[in-house]
Each structure stands twice: as C-alpha cells, then as structure tokens.
Amino acid sequence: MRGMFITCEGPEGSGKSTHSRRLAEQLRACGLSVLHTREPGGTPTGEAVRLLLQHDGAGESPVATAEVLLFCASRAQLIAQVIAPALERGTWVVCDRFTDSTLAYQGYGRGFDLPTLRALNTFATGGLVPDLTLLFDVDTPLGLKRVHARTAASGAVPADRFERESLAFHEKIRNGFLDLAASEPSRFRVLDTTPAVDAVFANVWKAVQPHLPASITTGKAVDHAG
Ligand code: Z5A
C-alpha cells in the first residue's frame, strides 16, 4: 500500500521542525516505516540549493524569479529521488515545508501570482499533492522571537535571508498560509503553537491518528523526558 504523505507548513518559529521530527518518531514507534525530510533540501542537490537560497551561497542574492525556480528545482529533485520512491514502497513521508511554502512566501510574500506558482509547483512535483498538511500557526512576533532566541543561543549560525525580512513580510506569510488552509479545509489542519511543545504535539497526534492503518490502533508513546 502507498505510504501517506504529510507536510508541515507555517511561518518562522511556528514549531514545524520540532513537531515534524517528533511526529516521525511517534509514527516509527507505531511500527511504520517513516521518512522525515525537508525543503529546500533533502538531497545533495537540494541542500546545495538551500545554501544558495538562505545564505547567498554563490556570493549574491538570487533575484525573486530565480528564488522561485530554485525552490522548485530543489523540490523536483526531492520528489524524484526521495519522496515518490518512498511513498511507492509504502513508507510514510513527513516533509518540513512543501508547495504551500512557495504559495505563501513567493506568492503572498513576494507578490507572484498564485496560478503561475501553482503551475510551477505542479511541474516540479508531477502533480503530487500531500494527503495531509499540518499548518503550524503562531502570532508573528512570538514566532520571530523564538527564532531570534535560537539564533542567539547557537552563536554560530547567522540569521538567514528570510529571517532578516520585515515584520510586515512575515505577517503576509502567516495570513497567506491561513488563507490557503481556509481554501482547502479537507487537506489542512491548523494547529495553534502558542502553548508548550507537549500540548501542541498532543494536537498534532490527534490530527494524524485518524489516518493510521486499521492494524495500528494506539501508538506506543515516545518518552521525550530524557
Ligand atoms: N521557503 C520559501 O520561501 N519558499 C519555499 O517554497 C520553501 C521555503 C520550501 C527555509 O528555512 C526558508 O525557506 C523559510 C521559508 C523559505 N524561511 N523562512 N522563514 P528553514 O527551514 O531554515 O526555516 P523555517 O522553515 O522557517 O524553520 P525555523 O525557523 O526553524 O522554524 P520552525 O521549524 O517553525 O520552528 P522550530 O525550529 O521547530 O522552532 C523554533 C524555535 O522555537 C526552537 O528553538 C524551538 O525549540 C522553539 N519552539 C518550537 N515550538 C515551541 C513551542 N510550542 N513553545 C516554545 N518554544 C517552541
């Protein structure tokens, strides 16, 4: 049976990475074969593109049109090399960001028209659409505060190109994601990530549990205390 394709989306600092990793662990604890990956990235080509996009790895910032195409290039490689084969062999895939990020950031954020971006997404993915999209939503200043605290604590990692965008840009992204979720309620589940991580994860699990195969009724809890 084909695996289930779950994407995790949302503005910066909303907790996608934290919860997508934890979701993958919890699904593995249920006995499922699970692949956790991310965009941009997830393949050697994708990780090289990530460096170009986030940290001006070629020594210059990609112009807005190149930015769109680079995200799509990373996506095409990830789909062909990793995601499609995994789903085909029955592995569940949890992906940290996917096509909705292009619509939110390059569409609502940078102002490209959504039909063009949707066509490019379809070209890159061959039409693959997630079975379930978890939208991690948080008040913009709180999300940015979390990201800046993490950047300051890590010391070594400088703020990326997107983290340096204005508050107004990030507000557009958040509202864009909420619009997308409202337009496709059967695919999206919106999760408020203001509460502590454990409380948010309980809601993530509630959203995913109905999709588990009938042979798996309750997942063995993963202990995150130590
Ligand atoms: N991008 C795009 O423009 N177009 C596209 O098509 C695609 C992407 C695919 C990828 O950067 C950038 O590319 C992204 C959009 C753009 N940039 N932005 N903005 P990334 O993957 O490096 O960055 P990110 O996706 O935004 O991830 P992030 O900054 O790491 O945020 P996050 O994944 O949502 O959050 P997190 O890492 O899970 O948590 C952040 C911190 O908050 C961390 O210290 C956690 O411990 C803490 N946290 C998380 N949840 C909580 C709760 N509930 N309470 C308290 N603290 C919490």
Side-chain angles (χ1 to χ4, degrees):
M1 202 171 68
R2 180 187 174 277
M4 178 153 176
F5 184 26
I6 302 174
T7 55
C8 297
E9 298 277 13
E12 280 206 71
S14 58
K16 295 170 313 300
S17 309
T18 303
H19 293 95
S20 66
R21 280 193 300 267
R22 195 160 163 180
L23 173 61
E25 264 182 73
Q26 183 75 53
L27 290 169
R28 283 188 197 109
C30 290
L32 291 165
S33 162
V34 181
L35 174 89
H36 179 267
T37 189
R38 69 171 180 180
E39 280 204 354
T43 64
T45 299
E47 293 299 328
V49 168
R50 184 181 180 92
L51 192 65
L52 295 178
L53 281 164
Q54 284 182 261
H55 298 288
D56 297 341
E60 63 174 353
S61 292
V63 297
T65 305
E67 182 181 281
V68 172
L69 296 172
L70 285 166
F71 279 116
C72 288
S74 170
R75 182 164 303 140
Q77 191 76 8
L78 184 65
I79 291 283
Q81 301 280 14
V82 177
I83 294 181
L87 293 172
E88 197 55 39
R89 63 176 182 267
T91 293
W92 281 41
V93 175
V94 179
C95 192
D96 186 347
R97 293 199 182 280
F98 194 58
T99 44
D100 296 302
S101 282
T102 302
L103 301 178
Y105 281 83
Q106 280 66 51
Y108 289 85
R110 301 271 194 243
F112 284 99
D113 70 279
L114 295 184
T116 300
L117 295 177
R118 287 187 203 280
L120 287 168
N121 274 340
T122 303
F123 182 61
T125 61
L128 182 70
V129 175
D131 300 305
L132 172 68
T133 297
L134 303 173
L135 173 56
F136 293 86
D137 179 53
V138 74
D139 183 52
T140 308
L142 176 58
L144 293 176
K145 194 170 150 200
R146 287 176 182 166
V147 169
H148 293 147
R150 185 191 54 195
T151 303
S154 73
V157 186
D160 70 33
R161 219 156 52 80
F162 292 94
E163 285 171 28
R164 298 194 299 266
E165 291 283 353
S166 67
L167 181 65
F169 177 83
H170 289 287
E171 291 282 12
K172 282 197 251 177
I173 306 304
R174 180 191 183 198
N175 292 330
F177 274 124
L178 290 170
D179 256 19
L180 293 170
S183 70
E184 262 188 274
S186 58
R187 174 165 67 89
F188 278 91
R189 292 290 172 278
V190 181
L191 303 156
D192 174 15
T193 73
T194 314
V197 169
D198 284 350
V200 175
F201 188 73
N203 288 329
V204 170
W205 193 239
K206 248 188 238 166
V208 172
Q209 249 180 338
H211 299 273
L212 292 174
S215 54
I216 298 169
T217 44
T218 45
K220 184 168 143 297
V222 177
D223 181 7
H224 287 271

